[in-house]
């Protein structure tokens, strides 16, 4: 599973000019970003420091190799991003708050001048994120707070490797670097699905090329299938709830039916797990957590269009520069036309558009 970091591309500077932001939030975001900038140290300096833990130095060396590979082989931006390191001394770089009305699976959006509208609001302080969540819950919304290990400022700053990014294995660390640099390569305002699918394709294909170049094996297909199938179960729950909310039940009946659908999802999950992946309990903890409309929001957003980008990459003969030109052409058309072209591309792929794999939190 991938950590939640892959969908949370935050244009931090954009919030500073947003008329919708409160002064407190603006000050908080400015302070949080300033901490990242002021705490950076060149990775070469950290590695050379005799006081640096040997395991940390080894991870940072791999990160730098991947950073060089990203520009040299994947033709991603060659800048100072991910050439510095900052120890945040906390588990996540930000905590994002998702919210949806109690009887809707559509997110409450937050709109910023550069990033456009996104289905979350990020906080550098967990207590402040939980405080906002409590306010939203008090007004009757469903809420979910998710920790984020990394994000991109879309090139506004030289983003550092953070200590939070090192919580995961080398594949996740390397893939995250590729993913976030892809957002710097290209980002379309108000189209999260396009942006995240593009970055996810770059991450997956980039990681495949990275591992191939080093003579390492790729991820097992079984793990990928399990992730896709699990998310399909979640998306099925979301569609069941969408149909339920479109009805004309009383609030009491609607709430009872909602909870019944969630209970049925857990039953279907257990049946699916025991039938197709016996002994594999990787999703048990996630399913056991409280489930509401907001917890379902991150699913299906991140790589729904990856088969379309795979087809486009194949049409580009595996040439990254040519691929980026084609993606740029898609980015310049209107959203409706863009999605029509993506559907056509996906139809040419060897497999149907898969659901996005749900990352860990």
């Amino acid at each position: 599973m991938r950590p939640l970091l892959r969908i949370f591309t935050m244009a931090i500077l954009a919030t500073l000019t947003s008329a919708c932001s409160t002064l407190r939030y603006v000050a908080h975001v400015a302070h949080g970003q300033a901490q990242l900038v002021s705490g950076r140290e060149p990775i070469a300096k950290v590695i050379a420091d005799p006081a640096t833990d040997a395991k940390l130095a080894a991870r940072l060396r791999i990160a730098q190799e991947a950073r060089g590979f990203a520009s040299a082989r994947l033709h991603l931006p060659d800048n100072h991003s991910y050439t510095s390191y900052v120890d945040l001394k906390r588990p996540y770089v930000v905590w994002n708050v998702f919210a949806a009305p109690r009887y809707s699976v559509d997110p409450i959006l937050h709109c910023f001048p550069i990033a456009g509208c996104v289905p979350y609001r990020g906080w550098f302080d967990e207590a402040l994120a939980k405080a906002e969540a409590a306010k939203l819950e008090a007004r009757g919304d469903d809420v979910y707070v998710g920790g984020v290990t990394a994000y991109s400022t879309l090139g506004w700053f030289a983003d550092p490797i953070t200590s939070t990014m090192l919580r995961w294995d080398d594949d996740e660390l390397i893939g995250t670097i590729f993913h976030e640099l892809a957002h710097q390569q290209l980002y379309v305002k108000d189209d999260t699905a396009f942006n995240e699918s593009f970055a996810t394709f770059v991450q997956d294909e980039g990681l495949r090329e990275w591992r191939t170049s080093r003579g390492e094996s790729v991820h097992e297909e079984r793990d990928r299938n399990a992730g896709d199938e699990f998310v399909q179960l979640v998306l099925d729950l979301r569609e069941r709830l969408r149909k339920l909310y479109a009805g004309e039940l009383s609030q009491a009946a609607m709430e009872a039916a909602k909870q019944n659908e969630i209970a049925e999802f857990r039953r279907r999950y257990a049946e699916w797990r025991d039938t197709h992946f016996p002994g594999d309990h990787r999703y048990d903890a996630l399913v056991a957590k409280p489930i509401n409309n907001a917890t379902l929001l991150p699913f299906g957003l991140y790589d729904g269009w990856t088969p379309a980008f795979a087809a486009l990459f194949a049409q580009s003969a595996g040439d990254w520069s040519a691929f980026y030109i084609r993606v740029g052409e898609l980015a310049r058309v209107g959203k409706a036309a863009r999605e029509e072209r993506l559907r056509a591309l996906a139809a040419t792929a060897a497999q149907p558009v898969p659901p996005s794999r749900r990352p860990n939190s």
Side-chain angles (χ1 to χ4, degrees), residues 144-165:
Y144 167 65
V145 179
V148 184
T149 56
Y151 72 89
S152 171
T153 58
L154 306 180
W156 285 90
F157 292 106
D159 298 317
I161 297 288
T162 63
S163 54
T164 57
M165 293 169 65

Side-chain angles (χ1 to χ4, degrees), residues 93-105:
V93 60
V94 293
W95 285 262
N96 282 309
V97 180
F98 289 82
R102 189 164 185 80
Y103 300 114
S104 172
V105 292

Side-chain angles (χ1 to χ4, degrees), residues 56-79:
L56 171 60
R59 299 295 305 283
L60 292 178
R61 288 191 187 95
I62 289 175
Q64 287 312 277
E65 289 179 34
R67 181 63 186 86
F69 184 91
S71 294
R73 297 286 294 274
L74 308 183
H75 296 187
L76 289 168
D78 188 4
N79 54 32

Side-chain angles (χ1 to χ4, degrees), residues 44-55:
K45 179 181 177 181
V46 177
I47 292 174
D49 188 342
T52 298
D53 178 79
K55 291 183 179 180

Side-chain angles (χ1 to χ4, degrees), residues 4-202:
L4 277 173
L5 59 89
R6 28 168 83 171
I7 57 163
F8 304 128
T9 304
M10 300 177 59
I12 293 297
L13 281 187
T15 66
L16 300 182
T17 58
S18 173
C20 300
S21 297
T22 64
L23 181 60
R24 181 188 182 198
Y25 184 66
V26 169
H28 168 75
V29 170
H31 177 71
Q33 184 60 48
Q35 278 188 318
L36 287 181
V37 173
S38 63
R40 295 175 304 186
E41 288 189 89
I43 286 180
K45 179 181 177 181
V46 177
I47 292 174
D49 188 342
T52 298
D53 178 79
K55 291 183 179 180
L56 171 60
R59 299 295 305 283
L60 292 178
R61 288 191 187 95
I62 289 175
Q64 287 312 277
E65 289 179 34
R67 181 63 186 86
F69 184 91
S71 294
R73 297 286 294 274
L74 308 183
H75 296 187
L76 289 168
D78 188 4
N79 54 32
H80 292 294
S81 287
Y82 309 111
T83 63
S84 62
Y85 173 73
V86 58
D87 185 355
L88 295 176
K89 304 186 186 304
R90 61 179 187 258
Y92 299 106
V93 60
V94 293
W95 285 262
N96 282 309
V97 180
F98 289 82
R102 189 164 185 80
Y103 300 114
S104 172
V105 292
D106 294 325
I108 295 172
L109 298 176
H110 301 274
C111 299
F112 308 112
I114 296 175
C117 297
V118 292
Y120 56 83
R121 201 177 193 192
W123 298 84
F124 287 89
D125 186 301
E126 184 180 15
L128 292 178
K130 289 183 175 179
E132 179 180 356
K135 291 180 181 178
L136 293 168
E137 286 179 332
R139 76 180 192 185
D141 294 325
D142 279 1
V143 178
Y144 167 65
V145 179
V148 184
T149 56
Y151 72 89
S152 171
T153 58
L154 306 180
W156 285 90
F157 292 106
D159 298 317
I161 297 288
T162 63
S163 54
T164 57
M165 293 169 65
L166 304 181
R167 297 181 60 189
W168 310 100
D169 62 18
D170 286 347
D171 277 0
E172 196 57 58
L173 171 63
I174 293 162
T176 298
I177 293 171
F178 297 164
H179 185 98
E180 302 304 340
L181 285 171
H183 283 313
Q184 292 189 19
Q185 177 75 26
L186 186 142
Y187 184 90
V188 179
K189 187 175 180 179
D190 294 329
D191 199 337
T192 299
F194 179 87
N195 294 327
E196 294 301 336
S197 292
F198 166 67
T200 294
F201 172 78
V202 173

